[in-house]
């Protein structure tokens, strides 16, 4: 029973409020003897950090991770890995107006009701700042399963979608634009859309697609640790996520069995992959791909009616520095959580045959 | 680390193969002193059982649950509740032709690869027969949180959808037709569709919508036990599920913040409910609703190319008695898993304030 | 969070009351491909069963285990292993007089206080009958780690002790007498002692020593899964246990470092083994040995003052068929729990280096 | 599955090596709304810290805890509580001579064998420095269950024992002497003994007794979360512990049932308390008391033969600043772990009746 832990054998436990002293975590179960490249971890964190481009929040947070244990002379030692990311740029005054106001579609109301009190500075524990911890852990996990490649990208912003199957995309292009869409033409439109939305003081939703390749056959544990179920839980844990589908997803629900079945090739691969690389909760060696829906950021720059903690009607207008669209910065988060799941299940699978 | 367990404080652990001696489970953490109506549990099981109508598999299995412990003189005692459902109608010969053949889009291949061997009779452990266990546990959970109402229903079959918001539906109509769709007119079309598909030896996918009402505020645990993330994992654990969305879901990803935010009423309720009753992973007292996508059943009655365990190309034609559409029988399963999650989180929430 | 589960990767979950329909359990995480000898499992169970000799309870229970899943064509399949032991000889009337009486030093009072009600037939869930489940699971675990030998034996009954170090004992003699003491001379005295105690309508405590040999180096997980801590928890879970010590144990607390340190031989073994085969929570390849203290059985055949559930003073005299000394029948239980711990940690250790 | 976590609903997860940057942890599941006295936490830590008296190690470490999250305006918020204790006085050079030498009866050998490498500075992760984290968490737990009083004390050093039952001791005297023995006369002898041992360059073992009072009836969860089993595991997790007994303990194994049974008073209390406050794994409201055996510290100041990582025989002489007897500083650790267990089970018990 862990409220703030994710994973089974490889387990991340986190803490931290957006405007507290620091955020951080403990990674438990990481095997010994893995060479760790600390620069790559920081690079992943930089992909998530605020202020990196014009279409994300302009908050400046260096988000520097410091490792406190578990790595010695460049290698993991098998002991728990503690890390901390100091909060250096908490402009709490930006949030002081929210002390007892419940922002619409934020977690202020539910935290107050559940706990009887809350850290009202920024989102506190409910802030997506927490996901910086996940990116650190995911970056470590990537180094554990470096034979697997994980590529997430922005597949839609509002009603602007990539119209190609992922096989036609060049993932090396994803980082070449600020919206993290590997289709350059679509990327342009997405960026314009976000700029326009931002100018209007509004926000917009979007989707991220993630593709994991070179997956060993056999990852995933029936009955209640199915690989896609754990991936789904991982994605649904990310702030603002409203939906998850893998393989054929919701489209598959419209199809016939004769259309949907993936026919085997002689080598055990399949001619199609509507299954999304997972059968019966276990990876079959084909690409795993899934799509994650993000709602529009709840903080908008126009006035909205709301209530305060005394149940009085009041007004609120977003201040502070917020993202007009969460999706570009969420790409490394999606990858990180995918890596955590796959690394965990990779370890578990070492124990399933004698 | 539990492969065959679901839940935290209220935990279901299961066992059983489709063609073994029995399936069953243990429910741990169920509080003492709850009056148990055994008939209602059997009724839930009857909603899931094969052979109940013309649009489901014609296998006849009585699926009678026997409780072995934990209930004494009509009440739970706080000890673990063991139960068993005997397998009475395993026509293994229907499946003998599958001994070493990997059925397309089934779990035969992945189980064999993962474990080095498998119980090849029927789906073995990967069979949806397992979900009978879940329905038993869910039915008990419903009696624990009887103040919450949980209503799932078939919301689409293939491309036939209910076109009304759930608020316009009368859930008491769901059980009045064999497809479990509370919109009678749409139900007719769905039933015709399934019959037609069945006649063609094919299968079809669909979606189930579930609505949970009268939810106390405060259920759900940030950061990694968010209520919707656990509901998502629960649904994605059900056989054939390819997607999960709650509240605005994938549609929400196309919206603007100014459209999507749920504005508070003075009493803490909201004028709209695009959030789907959950903020920051915690229930806000509004209806929780979500939608689950099911792929078409993989066993079809026409010939398909496939391979066997020696990686030789062969042919397979579905025999045995299978569902042309899994959705009608999955309705009680969706409800059961929802009840398990909500009951678990209800118990957890008793410990979050002093 | 599992109340009725033991273990981490290899996990036993149990249910059952002494006078209910059946007891049983689910073994999760057992690897696939292990050859299972069902006869050996039943033999272990027979070592624990009532009525096997004159110095144990004369209840006759066949205690036949039936496996329901997870074993196919003689091998484990990697899926959960369900099993059941039917209760065939519950003479509930022997216990009817206890309906609302709290037997001294039994769990009647605490169960009633904790849960508000209890199954008052026999010990219900608190009965040591539960440990039959553990013996089944332990017997399976023994087959998983058959390269390890585990030998428990009765090391004292009352004030009659074996006065030799375990290295001087022949473990193959343990089963040659009914008290399960490998020192034949001491065994005779123990048996006489128990007979005498029984005649007096009284009961007596004792200790069991367990030695595990051929342990791979490296089992055990710091910080909170130390091998000896988990063994201790396992032993303290057995009914009537009051203490646990390993290696030098309580004697070690009187010693000096210069006496207590185990000096290394060139091959990594040690000249002495006061450590009991574990350093820093991790096995070092030397024998693991520990000692477990059992209190005298609480049910005695003479009259004792007690109270009932209305807090009225009353009298009670043991009826039914009870053990005068629990230790002989607890020997296989100690071995079973040891096997469960070692098998679990053996699996875990497969994941600790890459 | 957590290697570095302790507890169920209230869960401590830790990290840190003795000579790394810092040690620390995350406390998960702590309820919201508890007033936290930070000074009291630091005071507990000061009871454990090195250099506090002449009979403990003379290392000077301030051991200042810094909280990073989860406490806001003096109260817990229900979110995870992160904390850190910086390592300020790591004289690694004291330990450099140990780089590849395996100290006798230390964990150097087992860590190297298990993980293939280790942080050889000091004990690394195996150092008792880790227990400072436990004291922090235990001090918080004490504030959660402030209605319970927990008193541990040194009950023996070598062969010098307190000869009174704990009921005759005044626990407020425990902190009045540096060996933490509430019997002043015995304390003097213990202190002399330790000084003498220290002068000889040797070390000595001892025992700690712990008494928990004002325990609510009903804490503890059968079958595998028995209160005494979890307390035992907690104690056996402490560095250097070799044994645990509660209530009558190993003495109880010599007794008859007619002597051992605790007879009820009309109010549900018992006239004697050989049970040690726990029946069937559940607290009965009487005092819980237990005894913990600590081996002598393995680092001694005289020369010992040993081996290095190349399996070559060599010599080692303890350098650095070590405790001649671990027991005085372990008293607050025993209390802390007791508090963690009791607080955890207090929370769990809130969910066991409806």
């Amino acid at each position: 029973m862990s409220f703030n832990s994710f994973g089974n054998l490889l387990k991340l436990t986190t803490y931290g409020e957006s405007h507290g002293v620091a955020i951080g975590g403990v990674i438990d179960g990481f095997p010994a003897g893995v060479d760790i490249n600390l620069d790559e971890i920081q690079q992943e964190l930089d992909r998530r950090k605020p202020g990196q481009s014009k279409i994300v929040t302009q908050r400046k947070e260096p988000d520097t991770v410091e490792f406190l244990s578990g790595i010695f002379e460049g290698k993991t030692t098998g002991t728990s890995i503690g890390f901390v990311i100091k909060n250096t740029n908490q402009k709490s005054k930006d949030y002081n107006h929210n002390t007892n106001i419940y922002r619409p579609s934020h977690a202020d109301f539910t935290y107050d009701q559940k706990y009887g009190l809350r850290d009202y500075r920024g989102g506190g524990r409910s802030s997506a700042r927490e996901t910086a911890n996940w990116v650190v852990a995911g970056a470590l996990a990537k180094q554990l399963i470096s034979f697997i490649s994980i590529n997430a990208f922005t597949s839609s912003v509002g009603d602007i979608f990539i119209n190609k199957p992922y096989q036609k995309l060049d993932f090396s292009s994803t980082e070449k634009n600020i919206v993290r869409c590997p289709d350059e033409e679509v990327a342009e439109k997405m960026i314009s859309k976000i700029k326009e939305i931002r100018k209007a003081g509004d926000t917009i939703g979007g989707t991220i697609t993630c593709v994991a390749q070179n997956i060993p056959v056999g990852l995933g544990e029936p009955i209640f640790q199915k690989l896609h179920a754990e991936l789904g839980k991982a994605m649904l844990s990310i702030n603002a996520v409203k939906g998850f589908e893998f393989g054929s997803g919701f489209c598959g629900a419209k199809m016939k069995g004769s259309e949907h079945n993936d026919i085997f090739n002689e080598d055990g691969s399949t001619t199609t992959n509507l299954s999304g690389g997972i059968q019966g909760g276990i990876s079959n060696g084909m690409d795993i791909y899934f799509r994650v829906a993000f709602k529009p950021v709840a903080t908008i720059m126009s006035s909205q009616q709301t209530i305060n903690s005394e149940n009085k009607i009041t007004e609120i207008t977003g201040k502070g520095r917020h993202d007009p669209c969460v999706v570009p910065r969420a790409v490394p988060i999606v990858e990180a959580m995918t890596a955590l799941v796959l690394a965990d299940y990779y370890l578990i699978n070492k124990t399933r045959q004698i």
Side-chain angles (χ1 to χ4, degrees), chain A residues 1-14 26-29 125 130 133-134 137-138 141 225-238 333-345:
Chain A
M1 177 76 257
S2 302
F3 306 116
N4 294 277
S5 296
F6 185 83
N8 297 281
L9 272 174
L10 181 66
K11 185 170 260 178
L12 169 67
T13 301
T14 67
V26 185
I27 300 162
D28 196 5
R125 186 75 179 129
E130 156 72 8
N133 288 327
W134 310 2
Q225 296 285 352
K226 292 191 173 104
L227 185 53
H228 58 273
E230 188 80 347
L231 284 168
K233 183 169 183 182
M235 296 308 132
L236 289 158
S237 298
I238 302 174
I333 304 167
V334 165
E335 289 183 4
M337 292 306 287
T338 304
L340 276 177
V341 170
L342 292 176
D344 186 22
Y345 280 64

Side-chain angles (χ1 to χ4, degrees), chain A residues 24-144:
Chain A
V26 185
I27 300 162
D28 196 5
F30 204 96
V34 179
D35 289 306
I36 296 300
N37 183 325
L38 295 176
D39 290 342
E40 285 180 10
I41 296 168
Q42 186 59 48
Q43 281 157 27
E44 289 292 309
L45 213 39
D46 291 346
R47 292 174 72 203
R48 198 213 74 98
K49 80 173 173 190
Q52 62 184 273
S53 81
K54 286 179 188 166
I55 59 168
V56 303
T57 171
Q58 296 305 303
R59 282 196 311 280
K60 297 285 181 194
E61 289 163 351
D63 276 359
T64 307
V65 61
E66 185 184 6
F67 287 96
L68 306 175
S69 69
I71 302 172
F72 184 61
E73 299 181 342
K75 284 179 191 292
T76 55
T77 61
T79 65
S80 53
I81 301 171
F83 66 88
V84 68
I85 302 170
K86 283 180 192 126
N87 290 333
T88 55
N89 189 26
Q90 324 89 299
K91 296 202 179 173
S92 294
K93 65 176 156 28
D94 280 357
Y95 302 96
N96 276 353
H97 59 299
N98 294 337
T99 306
N100 73 339
I101 292 184
Y102 296 144
R103 295 169 295 165
S105 290
H106 272 281
D108 305 334
F109 172 76
T110 52
Y111 269 66
D112 243 18
Q113 295 289 316
K114 181 177 185 72
Y115 298 113
L117 78 168
R118 78 181 202 282
D119 181 344
Y120 48 74
R121 302 166 302 170
R125 186 75 179 129
S126 75
S127 163
R129 176 149 182 71
E130 156 72 8
T131 56
N133 288 327
W134 310 2
V135 170
V136 169
L140 274 160
K142 280 184 177 180
Q143 299 189 22
L144 173 56

Side-chain angles (χ1 to χ4, degrees), chain A residues 54-302:
Chain A
K54 286 179 188 166
I55 59 168
V56 303
T57 171
Q58 296 305 303
R59 282 196 311 280
K60 297 285 181 194
E61 289 163 351
D63 276 359
T64 307
V65 61
E66 185 184 6
F67 287 96
L68 306 175
S69 69
I71 302 172
F72 184 61
E73 299 181 342
K75 284 179 191 292
T76 55
T77 61
T79 65
S80 53
I81 301 171
F83 66 88
V84 68
I85 302 170
K86 283 180 192 126
N87 290 333
T88 55
N89 189 26
Q90 324 89 299
K91 296 202 179 173
S92 294
K93 65 176 156 28
D94 280 357
Y95 302 96
N96 276 353
H97 59 299
N98 294 337
T99 306
N100 73 339
I101 292 184
Y102 296 144
R103 295 169 295 165
S105 290
H106 272 281
D108 305 334
F109 172 76
T110 52
Y111 269 66
D112 243 18
Q113 295 289 316
K114 181 177 185 72
Y115 298 113
L117 78 168
R118 78 181 202 282
D119 181 344
Y120 48 74
R121 302 166 302 170
R125 186 75 179 129
S126 75
S127 163
R129 176 149 182 71
E130 156 72 8
T131 56
N133 288 327
W134 310 2
V135 170
V136 169
L140 274 160
K142 280 184 177 180
Q143 299 189 22
L144 173 56
I145 49 164
S146 54
F147 49 88
I148 293 176
S149 69
I150 300 171
N151 287 286
F153 57 88
T154 299
S155 43
S156 74
V157 169
D159 52 10
I160 303 169
F161 281 78
I162 297 181
N163 285 318
K164 296 172 189 161
Y166 76 80
Q167 292 87 345
K168 301 250 164 125
L169 299 172
D170 173 7
F171 297 145
S172 71
S173 302
T174 302
E175 290 299 311
K176 291 186 179 154
N177 59 66
I178 57 180
V179 76
R180 294 201 167 92
C181 170
D183 183 324
E184 196 54 42
E185 215 171 320
V186 178
E188 287 304 313
K189 289 184 199 158
M190 288 172 169
I191 293 167
S192 301
K193 180 73 173 181
I194 295 174
K195 285 182 175 169
E196 171 198 321
I197 283 285
R198 170 178 220 157
K199 201 167 285 176
D202 212 338
T203 60
I204 186 97
T207 61
I208 290 175
T209 296
C210 183
V211 183
Q213 294 167 308
N214 301 317
I215 310 285
V217 184
L219 306 192
E221 301 297 325
I223 297 297
F224 287 120
Q225 296 285 352
K226 292 191 173 104
L227 185 53
H228 58 273
E230 188 80 347
L231 284 168
K233 183 169 183 182
M235 296 308 132
L236 289 158
S237 298
I238 302 174
N239 304 49
V241 171
K242 303 297 289 182
F244 169 85
E245 59 177 6
F246 76 107
S248 62
F250 278 89
C251 282
K254 297 183 196 162
M255 293 172 77
K256 295 184 205 168
S258 55
E259 299 164 332
H260 193 276
N261 284 352
D262 294 319
I263 300 306
F264 280 108
N265 298 314
E266 224 163 343
D267 63 357
S269 67
T270 54
T271 56
T272 52
N273 182 19
L274 289 160
S275 303
I278 303 171
Q279 288 294 9
I282 301 168
S283 65
N284 66 3
M286 300 295 290
D287 292 354
I288 293 175
Y289 62 97
F290 53 84
R291 213 161 63 96
V292 188
F294 291 80
K295 71 171 187 177
V297 172
T299 301
I300 59 177
M301 294 299 132
S302 43

